[in-house]
Amino acid sequence: EVQLVESGGVLAQPGGSLRLSCAASGFSFDSYGMSWVRQAPAKGLEWVSVISGSGGSTYYADSVKGRFFISRDNSKNTLFLQMNSLRAEDTALYYCAKYSHYDSRGYPDYWGQGTLVTVSS
Amino acid sequence: QSALTQPASVSGSPGQSITIFCTGTSSDVGGYDYVSWYQQHPGKAPKLMIYDVSKRPSGVSNRFSGSKSGNTASLTISGLQAEDEADFYCGSYTSGSTWVFGTGTKVTVL
């Protein structure tokens, strides 16, 4: 059974940094792309970023490009999202999602329960 | 990376069929057969309902079906049931190797 457990969400200051983690189990982690998707309170889903199975390819939404960085540690089956220069509009529930394929040419198929990031002074 | 366009709400009576449309561009929905649909109940994580335009994951009811024509994809729910009341989002692969979601549709069972 695929399991994804996010952590690291907290109250952060505007301009600050935060690192989210996602512990994965139940599948061959390094064989699949992984992504982050966020959902602001009472709003829709927004795709944030994807990383290939090896970590060699990464892609970002324009709204976070240059501020957020996705990475993975395949030896520990863990996905990360480094969030810098945080803004109020980054406030959201952040979901970790497994991709259906090794690289970005796929779709999110399994989701964690999310971790809440609140950016406020 | 503009969000795909969906109607804000769709409703139907139990047993009826409803269709949700998802409109994009030739750079996303129209350019690839990588369209998915997700169901999200309040306070829950999204669940994959349709992938590759019209394929159903194991365990998803055959009351859910998907199709695409040009830049518009659609999700049809037949034999509407009370448990189908939820938010639905479409999504598509894009020419920039990214992914884009739709604006979301609230399905209400009358």
Side-chain angles (χ1 to χ4, degrees):
Chain A
E1 179 192 4
V2 173
Q3 288 199 332
L4 302 168
V5 180
E6 304 92 338
S7 61
V10 292
L11 172 63
Q13 298 268 350
S17 296
L18 202 57
R19 189 172 86 153
L20 305 183
S21 300
C22 171
S25 61
F27 63 101
S28 181
F29 185 69
D30 58 3
S31 295
Y32 295 93
M34 294 292 296
S35 65
W36 290 96
V37 177
R38 69 184 181 182
Q39 187 169 32
K43 299 293 185 183
L45 301 174
E46 181 186 12
W47 181 89
V48 173
S49 181
V50 65
I51 186 169
S52 63
S54 67
S57 295
T58 58
Y59 298 94
Y60 299 91
D62 288 344
S63 58
V64 306
K65 198 174 295 182
R67 299 189 301 122
F68 289 11
F69 300 93
I70 192 171
S71 61
R72 61 192 299 161
D73 183 339
N74 286 346
S75 68
K76 296 182 178 179
N77 288 1
T78 303
L79 174 72
F80 302 102
L81 183 68
Q82 178 66 42
M83 308 166 65
N84 301 327
S85 302
L86 286 164
R87 306 167 179 168
E89 54 264 37
D90 295 322
T91 294
L93 185 63
Y94 282 75
Y95 291 104
C96 163
K98 171 188 167 291
Y99 253 49
S100 58
H101 292 59
Y102 176 81
D103 56 22
S104 65
R105 206 173 178 95
Y107 52 88
D109 57 1
Y110 288 92
W111 302 63
Q113 289 304 307
T115 186
L116 184 62
V117 172
T118 303
V119 182
S120 174
S121 55
Chain B
Q1 293 181 349
S2 298
L4 308 176
T5 301
Q6 297 179 232
S9 62
V10 173
S11 61
S13 299
Q16 286 186 329
S17 294
I18 61 170
T19 298
I20 303 169
F21 293 97
C22 166
T23 302
T25 69
S26 58
S27 295
D28 38 64
V29 174
Y32 308 92
D33 283 339
Y34 296 134
V35 175
S36 298
W37 288 89
Y38 302 87
Q39 178 188 53
Q40 186 180 35
H41 285 109
K44 300 295 186 181
K47 175 188 176 183
L48 179 68
M49 304 301 284
I50 295 288
Y51 67 97
D52 292 354
V53 176
S54 60
K55 299 176 182 176
R56 272 189 313 275
S58 173
V60 172
S61 171
N62 59 9
R63 298 186 297 104
F64 293 86
S65 61
S67 64
K68 190 184 82 166
S69 177
N71 296 337
T72 299
S74 61
L75 173 73
T76 296
I77 310 174
S78 58
L80 200 62
Q81 299 179 1
E83 67 205 50
D84 299 333
E85 190 161 290
D87 293 327
F88 288 83
Y89 295 90
C90 62
S92 174
Y93 179 76
T94 81
S95 59
S97 300
T98 61
W99 184 265
V100 61
F101 286 103
T103 50
T105 298
K106 180 177 181 58
V107 168
T108 300
V109 181
L110 301 172

